[in-house]
Amino acid sequence: MPILALMLNATIWGLSWWPFRQFESAGMHPLWTTVIMYTLSWIVVMATQRGAMAEWWRSPGLWLVTLAAGMTNTAFNWGVATGDVVRVVLLFYLMPLWAVLLARLILKEPLTAMAGLRIALALGGAMAVLSPEDGGWPVPSSLPDVLGLVGGMTFAFNNVMLRRESARSPGARALAMFTGGVLVAGVSAAGMAGAGLAPWPWLPGAVWLLPLAGMAVLFFISNLSLQYGAARLPANLTAVVMLTEVPVAAISALLLGGGTLDGKTALGGGAILAAALLAALEHRRA
């Protein structure tokens, strides 16, 4: 059940880029869409989990989950709505690299020779994806590239912290994640709107409220699935199962015009996926 829950979460995230782009084309920046969706989910948790707020307030570890989840949703939703979906998702799924390092630092999971190989594969894949066509250093070339990298780092941290805070109630963990989505995306969106870099939230008609509510329900289910699965599986295995998102996002983007796949991106993506699959083999042997 934890694996199926994580696969459901990954599938919803893998397809989320398309509705975010539809809302953006209608005048709603993806950060405002994120704020509205997570506000609705936050209200549901507050109404149904009466002790969740008090538990969250007493748990500094859950404050870190709040920050990590908020940064993850802000970076990923913004990145896939404005950039090449395939590149953003591949850079996001350098997550197994960050998971190895964070699991060692926070959970004291051992570093092995296999983990070193995974790190080398992931870094090599990232260099291939980020290498410019005309040569030069393999560094992020656009804001969506940066958002993909940051989102993967914070998502790995989020999963590790969910594992560490597995003794907390599901309601408190869910509240931490939804609070992060509201606060971090809200502060970012308001700052951009105040600086004239993004419009204030606006939709052309009430008919858009129905799909917005539908997205809120799906992301509510998605985040509950994530905190259920990540709290019950090792951090490295969570990172591997979540790779379901990569083919879902890549195939949907290629079919619907949300991204491209050239030779070096395919090569780099293959190395990144290989690094993640090695984590599954190492877990099985252990």
Side-chain angles (χ1 to χ4, degrees), residues 19-269:
F20 273 113
R21 292 197 177 191
Q22 305 312 304
F23 283 110
E24 185 182 35
S25 65
M28 180 82 79
H29 192 278
L31 291 184
W32 286 122
T33 304
T34 301
V35 171
I36 293 172
M37 290 192 310
Y38 279 85
T39 297
L40 296 175
S41 298
W42 184 86
I43 291 172
V44 171
V45 173
M46 286 293 291
T48 59
Q49 306 292 324
R50 294 304 176 90
M53 176 59 78
E55 185 178 355
W56 173 80
W57 185 253
R58 296 192 305 266
S59 308
L62 291 182
W63 301 349
L64 294 177
V65 172
T66 296
L67 179 62
M71 293 183 67
T72 297
N73 283 281
T74 297
F76 182 83
N77 294 346
W78 190 0
V80 296
T82 57
D84 185 300
V85 174
V86 176
R87 284 176 62 91
V88 172
V89 170
L90 285 176
L91 293 174
F92 182 84
Y93 272 94
L94 284 169
M95 182 180 62
L97 165 63
W98 316 124
V100 168
L101 302 177
L102 289 169
R104 172 58 182 169
L105 179 64
I106 298 173
L107 302 179
K108 308 305 180 184
E109 293 183 4
L111 282 176
T112 64
M114 186 73 79
L117 178 59
R118 298 203 315 266
I119 291 173
L121 276 171
L123 288 176
M127 293 177 66
V129 172
L130 292 172
S131 61
E133 294 289 348
D134 54 355
W137 289 99
V139 295
S141 60
S142 64
L143 177 60
D145 282 358
V146 175
L147 292 172
L149 287 169
V150 171
M153 292 180 192
T154 54
F155 192 36
F157 182 58
N158 178 75
N159 290 344
V160 169
M161 288 306 301
L162 283 175
R163 177 70 174 168
R164 199 186 80 167
E165 299 298 315
S166 60
R168 305 298 177 188
S169 70
R173 295 197 304 268
L175 180 65
M177 295 179 68
F178 293 131
T179 300
V182 174
L183 291 181
V184 177
V187 169
S188 302
M192 291 182 61
L197 300 176
W200 291 98
W202 177 87
L203 284 173
V207 68
W208 285 87
L209 296 178
L210 183 60
L212 187 60
M215 279 192 70
V217 171
L218 286 175
F219 269 75
F220 181 78
I221 295 171
S222 172
N223 278 270
L224 291 183
S225 299
L226 172 63
Q227 64 95 7
Y228 173 83
R232 290 164 172 79
L233 295 173
N236 289 342
L237 182 57
T238 295
V240 173
V241 177
M242 290 299 293
L243 285 172
T244 306
E245 181 181 348
V246 176
V248 172
I251 293 172
S252 63
L254 293 174
L255 292 177
L256 298 175
T260 58
L261 185 64
D262 57 21
K264 63 181 182 60
T265 302
L267 178 63

